[in-house]
Amino acid sequence: MSLAKKALEQGEGILRLTPTWVPRSFCVPGRRIKLHPDDYYALGGMRGGIDERWFSSTTPAENGPLTSKNEGLSHVAFEEGGKTETFLLKDAINEIGAEIIGSRLWDKYKSWPMYSKFFDNMGPLPHHIHPSDEFGKLTGQNGKPEAYYFPPQVNNHGGDFPYTFFGIAPGTSKETILQCLKDFKKGDNKITNYSQAFRLQPGTGWDVPPGMLHAPGSLCTYEPQKASDIFAMYQSLVNEAIIPEELLWNACPKERWGDHDLLVEMIDWDLNVNPNLMDNHYMEPRPVESQEKMHAAGYHDAWICYRSRDYSAKELTIFPGQTVTITDSAAYGMIMMQGYGKMGVWDIETPALIRFGQLTHDEYFVSEAAAQAGVKITNLSKTDPIVMLKHFGPDNPDLVVGK
């Protein structure tokens, strides 16, 4: 029997995953993702600080020529006879895909088509864009919609700039944005002069479709997204840090570098100049069903990302001392945010501090069969709730998009 089958059998349909750390050379870590203070530069100063942890990822990180092998890819941990072995979640899904993600997703995608992450930056990111599938094809990549949720447990401070720029101010011309892009090499191209910023609030989130300009603020962010790492930076100066020009052309084929008109074409103009961005893209948690019914049963379950068909996410809370069985129609990955207890055959716990390379019991992948059968969760604390975030793939049967 293969390791993937053994691990799935041992976990009764639930796979234990190892922490997946990703650096970004152009970012300064916010130091809120529980990595040990000595380990934020564990990959070396040239790679930059570790400011991301990826969840349920079968998508490699696109981090340039210094990218390490399997960077961004989640591993499964399998223990037998006192020995621990790890292997790629991607390989497990390639081997027994339908047994893990279900035939609905496997038959259509032949892969796990999303992942989630924490991104944790001390300052804001540059105003940037994730192209649509149409433009992603130019470099052989998928487009990337994404969503944000700001978990209170990892936002003890707001960083340097807890505001996010979204879109383009109504009335701005394409010629104005084109000139900003042409001015990229002049220092500050001032593109955020033509955007609008929104204050970020822990416990809320935003939906960001492809083609939408955005400059994420400095809250630690949980980010479900389509399985892609395509992006292009449209802002040249952030917090007095110069953004390398190659990142402007990151989503363009080499033969189109220098074609500023293509960069403008990648912008979904109507989406960006919409004067009601908050109405259409802001998200507050929405209870999955009657709060009275859930609370009487010992838990609270809420949608936190629900405006896209490409992914969705929930925040599940189990009250102290309670045991509940939670059913879902689709496979999902999950990360513990608070508390400890049992989930199926597994111990679950929320570490306070993690060393680079250390194994944990805070991240799992729940197969479709296990999710549909129901996952039994016990909160072993008398005072502390269990809180976990759960990320789902496309077209979740339980979700009415936008509601």
Side-chain angles (χ1 to χ4, degrees), residues 27-340:
C27 297
V28 176
R31 298 176 180 265
R32 291 164 293 194
I33 52 177
K34 304 177 185 178
L35 189 59
H36 190 282
D38 290 344
D39 293 348
Y40 278 99
Y41 291 86
L43 293 169
M46 287 289 292
R47 296 301 319 282
I50 293 171
D51 66 328
E52 297 186 355
R53 180 178 172 183
W54 290 22
F55 307 121
S56 307
S57 172
T58 59
T59 303
E62 297 291 340
N63 262 342
L66 297 179
T67 305
S68 55
K69 182 181 179 183
N70 296 331
E71 193 162 296
L73 296 175
S74 293
H75 288 72
V76 178
F78 173 66
E79 294 187 47
E80 185 177 48
K83 180 182 177 184
T84 300
E85 297 184 69
T86 63
F87 55 94
L88 292 174
L89 175 63
K90 180 178 181 179
D91 290 345
I93 290 174
N94 286 342
E95 180 192 342
I96 54 169
E99 294 180 47
I100 299 175
I101 65 174
S103 57
R104 176 181 62 87
L105 292 180
W106 177 251
D107 290 347
K108 183 173 182 179
Y109 297 98
K110 294 293 188 289
S111 66
W112 175 241
M114 68 85 65
Y115 68 107
S116 192
K117 69 167 73 166
F118 286 151
F119 71 76
D120 169 41
N121 298 305
M122 185 61 72
L125 289 180
H127 216 29
H128 67 276
I129 199 167
H130 302 291
S132 65
D133 285 338
E134 174 190 355
F135 291 102
K137 288 177 182 176
L138 297 177
T139 53
Q141 300 180 78
N142 290 323
K144 189 171 80 161
E146 61 190 24
Y148 304 150
Y149 178 69
F150 312 114
Q153 295 88 350
V154 288
N155 277 297
N156 56 306
H157 68 85
D160 292 342
F161 192 79
Y163 305 82
T164 288
F165 287 96
F166 286 110
I168 297 168
T172 304
S173 69
K174 290 185 179 181
E175 290 73 22
T176 296
I177 299 301
L178 177 63
Q179 189 60 51
C180 289
L181 298 173
K182 289 181 177 179
D183 288 343
F184 195 92
K185 291 190 288 187
K186 293 183 178 179
D188 184 2
N189 68 348
K190 301 181 181 180
I191 193 169
T192 52
N193 286 6
Y194 308 101
S195 185
Q196 49 191 328
F198 297 83
R199 183 179 179 183
L200 304 180
Q201 178 67 36
T204 70
W206 288 79
D207 182 65
V208 185
M212 183 174 179
L213 278 164
H214 55 293
S218 56
L219 286 192
C220 185
T221 302
Y222 170 74
E223 185 186 17
Q225 58 204 271
K226 191 172 177 177
S228 174
D229 195 26
I230 189 172
F231 65 89
M233 298 300 185
Y234 281 23
Q235 185 179 358
S236 59
L237 182 73
V238 183
N239 275 9
E240 303 306 316
I242 292 291
I243 306 304
E245 189 189 5
E246 58 262 30
L247 295 182
L248 173 65
W249 303 107
N250 192 56
C252 299
K254 285 289 178 67
E255 65 272 15
R256 301 288 297 273
W257 283 32
D259 184 352
H260 294 90
D261 289 323
L262 175 59
L263 299 176
V264 175
E265 288 173 26
M266 288 183 179
I267 300 171
D268 185 327
W269 199 260
D270 291 340
L271 175 71
N272 279 269
V273 299
N274 176 7
N276 301 311
L277 278 177
M278 193 164 187
D279 291 343
N280 296 326
H281 301 288
Y282 175 70
M283 295 181 290
E284 293 191 352
R286 295 182 175 179
V288 168
E289 54 182 324
S290 160
Q291 291 192 107
E292 185 177 85
K293 177 182 175 183
M294 290 189 291
H295 292 188
Y299 72 99
H300 182 84
D301 200 10
W303 294 106
I304 53 174
C305 298
Y306 46 77
R307 291 187 181 274
S308 174
R309 297 188 181 278
D310 290 298
Y311 45 74
S312 54
K314 291 180 178 179
E315 180 183 65
L316 174 64
T317 302
I318 311 297
F319 300 148
Q322 299 295 310
T323 295
V324 301
T325 298
I326 303 295
T327 59
D328 288 282
S329 296
Y332 58 90
M334 54 76 63
I335 179 67
M336 289 286 292
M337 301 304 302
Q338 188 173 345
Y340 71 97

